Amino acid sequence: MVDYGAEMERIIDQCRRDAAAIENDLAEINRRTAETSAILTERSRAAMREFWEEHGEVIAAAQAEAEEQERREVEERAERERQAAELREYREAMARSAAARRSGDVVVPIDDEDPEGEYYRRESWLV
């Protein structure tokens, strides 16, 4: 007759040994991964330090030049916009002047807040 209790104990012991072996393997893999990670981190830091020592000044100069160029472009754009606004104002003034000349002797104030507008809107010109 088969002793099922003993067989079950043997199977359970085998499972426990297998689980312990897997845990040990996993712990070893994690340890090696951590070591490799630390080594690679140090290599990366050393490579970055070396890179910045070799190319840091060139990169900083290029960045400063790019910022200066951007600043100049902004200033040029602002100057162009200012000139365009000035030209637009000049053209509008010329258009108002030409319209006033075409209107003949009728004087119309440009806006209601014109200080001289009341003088031109008076009922009688007999002063």
Side-chain angles (χ1 to χ4, degrees):
M1 173 161 210
V2 177
D3 186 10
Y4 291 111
E7 183 66 21
M8 287 176 59
E9 285 295 321
R10 189 189 64 74
I11 292 172
I12 290 172
D13 287 341
Q14 183 62 39
C15 285
R16 285 183 182 145
R17 283 191 301 273
D18 290 346
I22 290 172
E23 282 184 27
N24 289 338
D25 289 346
L26 198 55
E28 178 64 21
I29 289 170
N30 285 338
R31 185 189 61 75
R32 285 194 319 247
T33 302
E35 286 177 4
T36 304
S37 176
I39 291 169
L40 291 175
T41 300
E42 185 53 38
R43 284 183 191 169
S44 294
R45 285 184 183 146
M48 284 302 293
R49 278 192 299 271
E50 182 180 330
F51 175 83
W52 281 106
E53 287 172 1
E54 290 179 14
H55 304 290
E57 292 177 7
V58 174
I59 292 172
Q63 186 176 15
E65 182 179 334
E67 290 172 356
E68 177 63 23
Q69 182 177 355
E70 182 179 352
R71 185 191 60 76
R72 281 193 308 265
E73 289 173 358
V74 167
E75 288 176 356
E76 289 172 2
R77 190 176 319 116
E79 180 62 20
R80 284 193 303 269
E81 290 173 1
R82 185 194 63 76
Q83 288 176 350
E86 189 176 288
L87 182 61
R88 193 171 35 255
E89 289 176 16
Y90 176 75
R91 288 179 179 164
E92 289 171 358
M94 293 299 289
R96 285 193 303 271
S97 175
R101 281 193 307 274
R102 284 190 299 263
S103 69
D105 293 335
V106 178
V107 176
V108 179
I110 295 174
D111 58 2
D112 292 333
E113 296 178 9
D114 185 8
E116 297 176 353
E118 187 176 323
Y119 173 79
Y120 293 108
R121 286 191 299 268
R122 63 185 178 195
E123 295 289 325
S124 170
W125 284 85
L126 300 174
V127 179

